Amino acid sequence: MASDSSVPISHVRISPSALSADFSKLGEECEQIEKAGADRIHWDVMDGQFVPNLSMSADIIKSCRPWVTLPFEAHLMVREPDHLLKGFAEAGCDSILVHAEACVHLHRTLSAIRDLGSRAGVVLNPHTPIDVLTHVLDLIDTVLLMSVNPGFGGQSHIRSVVPKISDTRRLLDGADHPIDIEVDGGINASTIAASAAAGANIFVSGSGVFNHPDGYASAITELREIGNHARG
Ligand code: DX5
Ligand code: ZN
């Protein structure tokens, strides 16, 4: 399975969200995103329960797997996702991210993702305190902080994520292995710098990449340059 985990944590990585792609030609869109220099592809999976919207399934993601070698990350906006994890691992998702708010037995769910051979991540909604991470640090590779309320692409960035990123970076410094901090929601050339300076190193961008007037490659390059500059 492809992985970009060899990229040092100090370097910014860009993860375009396929939610903003043209669904009638998803395979081609993935190919274009890879050619444009993305580091991975972010798949937003919505169940119509945890969030008020439906999106793609593991089968849809699997159908795109042969088109690219980029790592795939599945962001599961799904209540109690345990029964679905195997499907996403088999669809070629290098990384599986679950919401703390959606998992009653978060420790068990993270263990199950690791047992399937995928990297495990915890996602926190904008209002969720970071304390929930404290006792699962040994089981996680990524913390994904939402900077919109999940469910839709194209929303405005919630800036209170910035101090939350700094707090998370301090908490993760206590872990015995490197853990990525990823930010998701309203990331574009105007919003990425503050989150990068606060300590985030992976950035999801849907509308910021797919709707950029100068095309995917310009969008990705611009985000990476601004992000790396802000990280210093
Ligand atoms: C929101 C999703 C995000 C979103 C990002 O529920 O998790 O990944 O699609 O899209 P933009 O970058 O347009 O906010
Ligand atoms: Zn997402």
Side-chain angles (χ1 to χ4, degrees):
M1 212 176 278
S3 173
D4 62 353
S5 57
S6 56
V7 178
I9 203 161
S10 55
H11 291 203
V12 158
R13 279 172 274 170
I14 306 299
S15 184
S17 165
L19 191 64
S20 294
D22 182 341
F23 282 11
S24 71
K25 48 172 188 169
L26 262 183
E28 286 101 323
E29 289 276 71
C30 289
E31 201 175 45
Q32 292 306 315
I33 280 294
E34 183 167 62
K35 282 190 187 141
D39 294 293
R40 49 177 67 187
I41 295 178
H42 182 89
W43 296 96
D44 284 308
V45 178
M46 304 180 184
D47 68 350
Q49 295 284 325
F50 179 64
V51 291
N53 198 4
L54 281 170
S55 58
M56 63 270 288
S57 65
D59 285 340
I60 293 175
I61 298 172
K62 190 175 187 177
S63 74
C64 294
R65 189 60 281 183
W67 286 79
V68 287
T69 60
L70 283 181
F72 280 2
E73 62 184 18
H75 172 193
L76 304 188
M77 286 160 273
V78 174
R79 254 186 215 159
E80 296 300 345
D82 292 25
H83 64 294
L84 296 172
L85 300 175
K86 189 162 180 270
F88 288 99
E90 288 176 356
C93 294
D94 165 81
S95 181
I96 300 178
L97 309 159
V98 295
H99 274 260
E101 307 87 357
C103 301
V104 171
H105 302 288
L106 181 62
H107 188 283
R108 176 186 291 152
T109 304
L110 295 169
S111 304
I113 294 171
R114 285 270 184 91
D115 288 347
L116 288 164
S118 294
R119 291 163 61 80
V122 175
V123 190
L124 303 181
N125 277 335
H127 74 282
T128 303
I130 64 172
D131 314 30
V132 69
L133 302 168
T134 306
H135 302 293
V136 290
L137 286 185
D138 57 324
L139 290 174
I140 58 182
D141 302 290
T142 307
V143 174
L144 174 57
L145 299 177
M146 293 306 301
S147 47
V148 294
N149 289 295
F152 304 95
Q155 303 183 79
S156 298
H157 186 71
I158 297 173
R159 291 184 185 275
S160 60
V161 74
V162 173
K164 191 173 180 182
I165 293 167
S166 320
D167 293 347
T168 305
R169 183 48 76 200
R170 271 191 294 279
L171 175 68
L172 300 187
D173 282 346
D176 61 4
H177 64 291
I179 299 176
D180 294 311
I181 299 181
E182 184 164 9
V183 181
D184 184 3
I187 292 292
N188 55 41
S190 314
T191 57
I192 190 171
S195 290
N201 64 305
I202 305 179
F203 297 89
V204 178
S205 182
S207 48
V209 169
F210 285 92
N211 299 346
H212 195 286
D214 300 328
Y216 304 166
S218 299
I220 291 166
T221 304
E222 182 181 41
L223 287 174
R224 191 181 286 118
E225 282 177 6
I226 297 172
N228 276 326
H229 185 259
R231 279 183 71 84

